[in-house]
Amino acid sequence: MDKLKIAIGSDHGGLRYKNSITEYLKSENIEFVDVGTYTTESCDYPLIAKNVAEKVASGVANRGILICGTGIGMSIAANKVQGIRAALCGDTYSARATRAHNDSNILCLGERVIGENLALDIVDIWLKTDFEGGRHTRRIDMIE
């Protein structure tokens, strides 16, 4: 795995998984910046998504991870930022494919729809999978 710096954030609906994922990142010696939230008090996910997406788009972080109740709101909001390819994943195959074929730079997860161990497996695979390039580069260029 190349030297990574992850921007990570969640709303109140994803806080527990965010905390588990930051523990995983620490155990793997992966640098990260946690942009919040830090409590279960209701907060606005678009602000968290924008913060993480801007850190990735500007190069402050290589990639980002966003967690909310379903992951849907976070992915919609993050994809509004130019240069972001946020992918909502609920299985390990999609996590691998979105890195290998789509060069996704933000992973979105839903705490209320997948189990915690699956979420950690998805994160592990997504972080360790490289972009394949080749024919996929042309398609990424079309998106941009």
Side-chain angles (χ1 to χ4, degrees), residues 94-117:
S94 296
R96 185 175 291 106
T98 193
R99 281 291 308 132
H101 298 177
N102 308 119
D103 198 18
S104 63
N105 51 14
I106 294 183
L107 172 65
C108 299
L109 300 166
E111 182 170 317
R112 296 178 183 151
V113 294
I114 62 171
E116 187 170 359
N117 288 333

PDB file of all heavy atoms in Angstrom, residues 94-117:
ATOM      1  N   SER A  94     -17.548  -4.667  -4.826  1.00  0.00           N
ATOM      2  CA  SER A  94     -17.684  -3.276  -5.275  1.00  0.00           C
ATOM      3  C   SER A  94     -16.522  -2.420  -4.783  1.00  0.00           C
ATOM      4  O   SER A  94     -16.050  -1.542  -5.514  1.00  0.00           O
ATOM      5  CB  SER A  94     -19.002  -2.680  -4.782  1.00  0.00           C
ATOM      6  OG  SER A  94     -20.097  -3.355  -5.359  1.00  0.00           O
ATOM      7  N   ALA A  95     -16.059  -2.671  -3.570  1.00  0.00           N
ATOM      8  CA  ALA A  95     -14.930  -1.910  -3.031  1.00  0.00           C
ATOM      9  C   ALA A  95     -13.687  -2.113  -3.891  1.00  0.00           C
ATOM     10  O   ALA A  95     -12.972  -1.153  -4.212  1.00  0.00           O
ATOM     11  CB  ALA A  95     -14.645  -2.325  -1.591  1.00  0.00           C
ATOM     12  N   ARG A  96     -13.440  -3.348  -4.283  1.00  0.00           N
ATOM     13  CA  ARG A  96     -12.288  -3.648  -5.138  1.00  0.00           C
ATOM     14  C   ARG A  96     -12.479  -3.037  -6.528  1.00  0.00           C
ATOM     15  O   ARG A  96     -11.582  -2.399  -7.069  1.00  0.00           O
ATOM     16  CB  ARG A  96     -12.084  -5.161  -5.230  1.00  0.00           C
ATOM     17  CG  ARG A  96     -10.842  -5.571  -5.995  1.00  0.00           C
ATOM     18  CD  ARG A  96     -10.596  -7.084  -5.957  1.00  0.00           C
ATOM     19  NE  ARG A  96     -10.213  -7.512  -4.612  1.00  0.00           N
ATOM     20  CZ  ARG A  96     -10.998  -8.179  -3.768  1.00  0.00           C
ATOM     21  NH1 ARG A  96     -12.224  -8.530  -4.108  1.00  0.00           N
ATOM     22  NH2 ARG A  96     -10.553  -8.519  -2.568  1.00  0.00           N
ATOM     23  N   ALA A  97     -13.659  -3.220  -7.099  1.00  0.00           N
ATOM     24  CA  ALA A  97     -13.914  -2.747  -8.460  1.00  0.00           C
ATOM     25  C   ALA A  97     -13.876  -1.230  -8.560  1.00  0.00           C
ATOM     26  O   ALA A  97     -13.370  -0.690  -9.545  1.00  0.00           O
ATOM     27  CB  ALA A  97     -15.259  -3.275  -8.954  1.00  0.00           C
ATOM     28  N   THR A  98     -14.390  -0.533  -7.558  1.00  0.00           N
ATOM     29  CA  THR A  98     -14.426   0.920  -7.647  1.00  0.00           C
ATOM     30  C   THR A  98     -13.034   1.535  -7.566  1.00  0.00           C
ATOM     31  O   THR A  98     -12.788   2.610  -8.100  1.00  0.00           O
ATOM     32  CB  THR A  98     -15.382   1.538  -6.605  1.00  0.00           C
ATOM     33  OG1 THR A  98     -15.607   2.905  -6.949  1.00  0.00           O
ATOM     34  CG2 THR A  98     -14.813   1.469  -5.199  1.00  0.00           C
ATOM     35  N   ARG A  99     -12.103   0.861  -6.930  1.00  0.00           N
ATOM     36  CA  ARG A  99     -10.716   1.330  -6.942  1.00  0.00           C
ATOM     37  C   ARG A  99     -10.031   0.918  -8.247  1.00  0.00           C
ATOM     38  O   ARG A  99      -9.402   1.726  -8.905  1.00  0.00           O
ATOM     39  CB  ARG A  99      -9.944   0.743  -5.747  1.00  0.00           C
ATOM     40  CG  ARG A  99     -10.204   1.442  -4.447  1.00  0.00           C
ATOM     41  CD  ARG A  99      -9.632   2.854  -4.363  1.00  0.00           C
ATOM     42  NE  ARG A  99      -8.225   2.846  -4.726  1.00  0.00           N
ATOM     43  CZ  ARG A  99      -7.672   3.705  -5.579  1.00  0.00           C
ATOM     44  NH1 ARG A  99      -8.374   4.668  -6.127  1.00  0.00           N
ATOM     45  NH2 ARG A  99      -6.397   3.614  -5.857  1.00  0.00           N
ATOM     46  N   ALA A 100     -10.171  -0.353  -8.621  1.00  0.00           N
ATOM     47  CA  ALA A 100      -9.463  -0.879  -9.794  1.00  0.00           C
ATOM     48  C   ALA A 100      -9.956  -0.247 -11.088  1.00  0.00           C
ATOM     49  O   ALA A 100      -9.160   0.055 -11.975  1.00  0.00           O
ATOM     50  CB  ALA A 100      -9.618  -2.400  -9.856  1.00  0.00           C
ATOM     51  N   HIS A 101     -11.251  -0.028 -11.220  1.00  0.00           N
ATOM     52  CA  HIS A 101     -11.823   0.434 -12.488  1.00  0.00           C
ATOM     53  C   HIS A 101     -12.216   1.900 -12.496  1.00  0.00           C
ATOM     54  O   HIS A 101     -12.164   2.536 -13.545  1.00  0.00           O
ATOM     55  CB  HIS A 101     -13.059  -0.399 -12.843  1.00  0.00           C
ATOM     56  CG  HIS A 101     -12.756  -1.843 -13.054  1.00  0.00           C
ATOM     57  ND1 HIS A 101     -13.737  -2.765 -13.316  1.00  0.00           N
ATOM     58  CD2 HIS A 101     -11.590  -2.544 -13.039  1.00  0.00           C
ATOM     59  CE1 HIS A 101     -13.200  -3.961 -13.457  1.00  0.00           C
ATOM     60  NE2 HIS A 101     -11.886  -3.852 -13.279  1.00  0.00           N
ATOM     61  N   ASN A 102     -12.633   2.438 -11.344  1.00  0.00           N
ATOM     62  CA  ASN A 102     -13.132   3.815 -11.290  1.00  0.00           C
ATOM     63  C   ASN A 102     -12.190   4.783 -10.593  1.00  0.00           C
ATOM     64  O   ASN A 102     -12.466   5.972 -10.556  1.00  0.00           O
ATOM     65  CB  ASN A 102     -14.494   3.865 -10.577  1.00  0.00           C
ATOM     66  CG  ASN A 102     -15.491   2.887 -11.140  1.00  0.00           C
ATOM     67  OD1 ASN A 102     -15.953   2.002 -10.433  1.00  0.00           O
ATOM     68  ND2 ASN A 102     -15.817   3.001 -12.423  1.00  0.00           N
ATOM     69  N   ASP A 103     -11.095   4.271 -10.036  1.00  0.00           N
ATOM     70  CA  ASP A 103     -10.143   5.104  -9.300  1.00  0.00           C
ATOM     71  C   ASP A 103     -10.861   5.994  -8.287  1.00  0.00           C
ATOM     72  O   ASP A 103     -10.557   7.176  -8.154  1.00  0.00           O
ATOM     73  CB  ASP A 103      -9.304   5.941 -10.265  1.00  0.00           C
ATOM     74  CG  ASP A 103      -8.032   6.476  -9.634  1.00  0.00           C
ATOM     75  OD1 ASP A 103      -7.603   5.946  -8.586  1.00  0.00           O
ATOM     76  OD2 ASP A 103      -7.457   7.438 -10.189  1.00  0.00           O
ATOM     77  N   SER A 104     -11.827   5.409  -7.574  1.00  0.00           N
ATOM     78  CA  SER A 104     -12.563   6.201  -6.581  1.00  0.00           C
ATOM     79  C   SER A 104     -11.584   6.745  -5.549  1.00  0.00           C
ATOM     80  O   SER A 104     -10.623   6.088  -5.172  1.00  0.00           O
ATOM     81  CB  SER A 104     -13.648   5.364  -5.910  1.00  0.00           C
ATOM     82  OG  SER A 104     -13.099   4.292  -5.195  1.00  0.00           O
ATOM     83  N   ASN A 105     -11.852   7.976  -5.120  1.00  0.00           N
ATOM     84  CA  ASN A 105     -10.970   8.583  -4.128  1.00  0.00           C
ATOM     85  C   ASN A 105     -11.672   8.848  -2.796  1.00  0.00           C
ATOM     86  O   ASN A 105     -11.034   9.288  -1.846  1.00  0.00           O
ATOM     87  CB  ASN A 105     -10.279   9.834  -4.671  1.00  0.00           C
ATOM     88  CG  ASN A 105     -11.227  10.838  -5.295  1.00  0.00           C
ATOM     89  OD1 ASN A 105     -12.437  10.771  -5.131  1.00  0.00           O
ATOM     90  ND2 ASN A 105     -10.668  11.773  -6.052  1.00  0.00           N
ATOM     91  N   ILE A 106     -12.971   8.569  -2.741  1.00  0.00           N
ATOM     92  CA  ILE A 106     -13.689   8.605  -1.465  1.00  0.00           C
ATOM     93  C   ILE A 106     -14.580   7.371  -1.390  1.00  0.00           C
ATOM     94  O   ILE A 106     -15.305   7.047  -2.332  1.00  0.00           O
ATOM     95  CB  ILE A 106     -14.527   9.885  -1.298  1.00  0.00           C
ATOM     96  CG1 ILE A 106     -13.611  11.117  -1.207  1.00  0.00           C
ATOM     97  CG2 ILE A 106     -15.426   9.784  -0.058  1.00  0.00           C
ATOM     98  CD1 ILE A 106     -14.320  12.430  -0.978  1.00  0.00           C
ATOM     99  N   LEU A 107     -14.504   6.695  -0.261  1.00  0.00           N
ATOM    100  CA  LEU A 107     -15.349   5.543   0.033  1.00  0.00           C
ATOM    101  C   LEU A 107     -16.470   6.002   0.957  1.00  0.00           C
ATOM    102  O   LEU A 107     -16.208   6.639   1.978  1.00  0.00           O
ATOM    103  CB  LEU A 107     -14.528   4.454   0.726  1.00  0.00           C
ATOM    104  CG  LEU A 107     -15.292   3.247   1.274  1.00  0.00           C
ATOM    105  CD1 LEU A 107     -15.928   2.452   0.136  1.00  0.00           C
ATOM    106  CD2 LEU A 107     -14.364   2.378   2.098  1.00  0.00           C
ATOM    107  N   CYS A 108     -17.711   5.668   0.596  1.00  0.00           N
ATOM    108  CA  CYS A 108     -18.864   5.989   1.437  1.00  0.00           C
ATOM    109  C   CYS A 108     -19.476   4.691   1.954  1.00  0.00           C
ATOM    110  O   CYS A 108     -19.597   3.715   1.209  1.00  0.00           O
ATOM    111  CB  CYS A 108     -19.899   6.784   0.653  1.00  0.00           C
ATOM    112  SG  CYS A 108     -19.272   8.366   0.055  1.00  0.00           S
ATOM    113  N   LEU A 109     -19.847   4.712   3.220  1.00  0.00           N
ATOM    114  CA  LEU A 109     -20.412   3.539   3.885  1.00  0.00           C
ATOM    115  C   LEU A 109     -21.666   3.924   4.653  1.00  0.00           C
ATOM    116  O   LEU A 109     -21.782   5.058   5.138  1.00  0.00           O
ATOM    117  CB  LEU A 109     -19.396   2.951   4.874  1.00  0.00           C
ATOM    118  CG  LEU A 109     -18.075   2.476   4.303  1.00  0.00           C
ATOM    119  CD1 LEU A 109     -17.061   2.251   5.415  1.00  0.00           C
ATOM    120  CD2 LEU A 109     -18.273   1.220   3.480  1.00  0.00           C
ATOM    121  N   GLY A 110     -22.568   2.960   4.801  1.00  0.00           N
ATOM    122  CA  GLY A 110     -23.785   3.163   5.570  1.00  0.00           C
ATOM    123  C   GLY A 110     -23.794   2.315   6.824  1.00  0.00           C
ATOM    124  O   GLY A 110     -23.870   1.091   6.742  1.00  0.00           O
ATOM    125  N   GLU A 111     -23.715   2.966   7.978  1.00  0.00           N
ATOM    126  CA  GLU A 111     -23.660   2.235   9.245  1.00  0.00           C
ATOM    127  C   GLU A 111     -24.945   1.465   9.530  1.00  0.00           C
ATOM    128  O   GLU A 111     -24.910   0.414  10.175  1.00  0.00           O
ATOM    129  CB  GLU A 111     -23.379   3.207  10.399  1.00  0.00           C
ATOM    130  CG  GLU A 111     -23.269   2.518  11.741  1.00  0.00           C
ATOM    131  CD  GLU A 111     -22.763   3.423  12.843  1.00  0.00           C
ATOM    132  OE1 GLU A 111     -21.815   4.194  12.611  1.00  0.00           O
ATOM    133  OE2 GLU A 111     -23.328   3.345  13.961  1.00  0.00           O
ATOM    134  N   ARG A 112     -26.063   1.960   9.028  1.00  0.00           N
ATOM    135  CA  ARG A 112     -27.344   1.319   9.324  1.00  0.00           C
ATOM    136  C   ARG A 112     -27.702   0.199   8.359  1.00  0.00           C
ATOM    137  O   ARG A 112     -28.726  -0.457   8.539  1.00  0.00           O
ATOM    138  CB  ARG A 112     -28.453   2.368   9.329  1.00  0.00           C
ATOM    139  CG  ARG A 112     -28.263   3.395  10.434  1.00  0.00           C
ATOM    140  CD  ARG A 112     -29.323   4.465  10.406  1.00  0.00           C
ATOM    141  NE  ARG A 112     -29.032   5.463  11.442  1.00  0.00           N
ATOM    142  CZ  ARG A 112     -29.373   6.739  11.354  1.00  0.00           C
ATOM    143  NH1 ARG A 112     -30.018   7.180  10.287  1.00  0.00           N
ATOM    144  NH2 ARG A 112     -29.074   7.567  12.331  1.00  0.00           N
ATOM    145  N   VAL A 113     -26.852  -0.026   7.347  1.00  0.00           N
ATOM    146  CA  VAL A 113     -27.208  -1.026   6.332  1.00  0.00           C
ATOM    147  C   VAL A 113     -26.206  -2.160   6.176  1.00  0.00           C
ATOM    148  O   VAL A 113     -26.519  -3.166   5.532  1.00  0.00           O
ATOM    149  CB  VAL A 113     -27.491  -0.375   4.953  1.00  0.00           C
ATOM    150  CG1 VAL A 113     -28.718   0.498   5.019  1.00  0.00           C
ATOM    151  CG2 VAL A 113     -26.296   0.419   4.459  1.00  0.00           C
ATOM    152  N   ILE A 114     -25.009  -2.029   6.732  1.00  0.00           N
ATOM    153  CA  ILE A 114     -24.037  -3.129   6.680  1.00  0.00           C
ATOM    154  C   ILE A 114     -23.455  -3.362   8.067  1.00  0.00           C
ATOM    155  O   ILE A 114     -23.413  -2.450   8.892  1.00  0.00           O
ATOM    156  CB  ILE A 114     -22.900  -2.892   5.657  1.00  0.00           C
ATOM    157  CG1 ILE A 114     -22.070  -1.657   5.999  1.00  0.00           C
ATOM    158  CG2 ILE A 114     -23.439  -2.822   4.242  1.00  0.00           C
ATOM    159  CD1 ILE A 114     -20.817  -1.496   5.156  1.00  0.00           C
ATOM    160  N   GLY A 115     -23.005  -4.565   8.297  1.00  0.00           N
ATOM    161  CA  GLY A 115     -22.393  -4.908   9.576  1.00  0.00           C
ATOM    162  C   GLY A 115     -21.022  -4.282   9.725  1.00  0.00           C
ATOM    163  O   GLY A 115     -20.339  -3.968   8.746  1.00  0.00           O
ATOM    164  N   GLU A 116     -20.602  -4.132  10.958  1.00  0.00           N
ATOM    165  CA  GLU A 116     -19.329  -3.478  11.248  1.00  0.00           C
ATOM    166  C   GLU A 116     -18.132  -4.253  10.703  1.00  0.00           C
ATOM    167  O   GLU A 116     -17.204  -3.652  10.146  1.00  0.00           O
ATOM    168  CB  GLU A 116     -19.180  -3.277  12.758  1.00  0.00           C
ATOM    169  CG  GLU A 116     -17.976  -2.454  13.137  1.00  0.00           C
ATOM    170  CD  GLU A 116     -17.976  -2.075  14.600  1.00  0.00           C
ATOM    171  OE1 GLU A 116     -18.923  -2.435  15.340  1.00  0.00           O
ATOM    172  OE2 GLU A 116     -16.998  -1.433  15.014  1.00  0.00           O
ATOM    173  N   ASN A 117     -18.125  -5.567  10.836  1.00  0.00           N
ATOM    174  CA  ASN A 117     -16.999  -6.347  10.302  1.00  0.00           C
ATOM    175  C   ASN A 117     -16.926  -6.242   8.788  1.00  0.00           C
ATOM    176  O   ASN A 117     -15.831  -6.150   8.224  1.00  0.00           O
ATOM    177  CB  ASN A 117     -17.086  -7.808  10.741  1.00  0.00           C
ATOM    178  CG  ASN A 117     -16.778  -7.970  12.215  1.00  0.00           C
ATOM    179  OD1 ASN A 117     -16.054  -7.185  12.809  1.00  0.00           O
ATOM    180  ND2 ASN A 117     -17.352  -8.999  12.817  1.00  0.00           N
TER     181      ASN A 117
END
